Amino acid sequence: MASSELTTIPGSLEHVRIQALPSSAFYIAEFITIDEERMLLEKIETAPKPRWKQLSKRRLQTWPSDLTNNTLLDSPLPKWLTEPVITRLLTLPITASKPDHIFSESPHGAPNHVLINEYLPGQGIMPHKDGGAYYPVVCTVSLGSPLCLDIYGTKDDGSREAEPKWKILQEPRSLLITTDQIYADFMHGIANVTDDVDLGSSTVANWDLLRTSSNIQNHRSERRTRLSLTYRDVLKVSKLGGTLGSMFGKR
Ligand SMILES: O=C(O)CCC(=O)C(=O)O
Ligand SMILES: [Fe+2]
């Protein structure tokens, strides 16, 4: 079997910590297989048209639904989003000495929400923080094409520094987990460029954790269509209750 048909799941997250960054970010190059990537791309592509929300610079799907006032209406994620990604995530201990996983202490013990962003070459996302609606862990599965996530520091007045402090190269089929300071204190964004440039061991924070650097020529990686699935636990979940609930057979 070719190695590209396999995943490479570490014994614990400590093995895949991005050492060059403040705490904490983890990168697993081969988190899903080529077949699993193909299945996810197919499900995303064949989702009903109204699932896509078109923004000026990119389009996205929200599963199971958009938040209203930072609150998620209780509803399960479809199986193709839980299996294999969430099941695999929940078997991954943070350290070898304890079984605790990255969502062990989150309110629902697992992600309950997935945002799917699509980036064509030249598209990106403005630097931002993910804010207070979520438990502060983001798990991002990348599909299709490599691309760089830029991490920015903020100044004392809260505004962001002009240049990114670090770059994280996200390969297709990889998992990136960001939490702690990287979640709370730094901003992240994706430049709207057609090529990621200046890539090397001194500029890419997760260089040593990459699956391959063979797509990088002259320190450059050309973008193709990239999709990301960001898994999070939304803190506030509301049940469809009261009269409306009983109309739908809830008690
Ligand atoms: O696509 C990504 O990797 C980042 C998306 C993101 O930052 C977000 O949805 O908040
Ligand atoms: Fe974000």
Side-chain angles (χ1 to χ4, degrees):
M1 197 187 284
S3 67
S4 55
E5 290 168 36
L6 299 171
T7 56
T8 314
I9 309 298
S12 79
L13 289 179
E14 278 314 326
H15 290 99
V16 291
R17 179 182 285 278
I18 305 180
Q19 302 281 357
L21 296 179
S23 73
S24 291
F26 307 96
Y27 181 82
I28 301 176
E30 288 170 290
F31 186 70
I32 60 169
T33 66
I34 286 180
D35 281 351
E36 289 164 347
E37 178 186 33
R38 202 175 290 135
M39 177 280 287
L40 286 167
L41 286 168
E42 156 103 21
K43 291 288 188 187
I44 295 167
E45 206 169 294
T46 57
K49 258 258 147 64
R51 272 281 166 191
W52 285 110
K53 186 193 282 184
Q54 183 67 49
L55 307 182
S56 64
K57 292 278 167 55
R58 78 200 134 83
R59 56 178 193 160
L60 61 92
Q61 294 183 14
T62 322
W63 293 87
S65 61
D66 284 337
L67 305 189
T68 311
N69 299 325
N70 283 349
T71 306
L72 179 69
L73 184 60
D74 191 24
S75 172
L77 287 166
K79 179 136 190 267
W80 60 272
L81 285 172
T82 60
E83 186 73 44
V85 170
I86 295 183
T87 42
R88 205 164 286 161
L89 260 179
L90 302 188
T91 59
L92 196 58
I94 301 173
T95 61
S97 54
K98 281 202 294 196
D100 288 15
H101 58 72
I102 198 77
F103 287 99
S104 285
E105 311 221 316
S106 87
H108 308 98
N112 57 12
H113 191 253
V114 184
L115 214 61
I116 301 176
N117 278 294
E118 181 187 66
Y119 305 84
L120 305 180
Q123 297 185 330
I125 185 168
M126 288 275 291
H128 63 278
K129 288 187 185 177
D130 284 349
Y134 313 103
Y135 181 71
V137 169
V138 184
C139 296
T140 306
V141 174
S142 293
L143 312 176
S145 168
L147 135 173
C148 277
L149 185 74
D150 297 323
I151 308 289
Y152 294 85
T154 53
K155 300 185 204 155
D156 289 343
D157 65 0
S159 67
R160 90 172 150 83
E161 292 174 353
E163 296 299 323
K165 268 193 152 49
W166 299 281
K167 286 198 258 264
I168 303 173
L169 184 63
Q170 292 177 276
E171 297 162 294
R173 305 192 300 284
S174 69
L175 171 73
L176 173 70
I177 303 180
T178 51
T179 183
D180 303 328
Q181 274 176 282
I182 288 289
Y183 185 97
D185 301 339
F186 293 88
M187 292 188 178
H188 57 276
I190 295 169
N192 48 3
V193 296
T194 56
D195 292 87
D196 287 292
V197 298
D198 193 22
L199 307 180
S201 57
S202 62
T203 56
V204 174
N206 58 326
W207 188 260
D208 295 341
L209 295 167
L210 294 178
R211 175 172 64 86
T212 172
S213 51
S214 62
N215 302 324
I216 302 170
Q217 271 150 21
N218 297 326
H219 305 275
R220 178 183 282 266
S221 167
E222 190 177 328
R223 295 231 191 126
R224 288 169 283 113
T225 301
R226 181 260 190 172
L227 288 110
S228 67
L229 292 78
T230 45
Y231 285 77
R232 301 178 174 90
D233 188 1
V234 177
L235 301 174
K236 282 196 248 167
V237 175
S238 71
K239 303 257 182 221
L240 192 59
T243 318
L244 196 56
S246 53
M247 276 168 57
F248 288 100
K250 282 205 166 186
R251 292 199 251 168

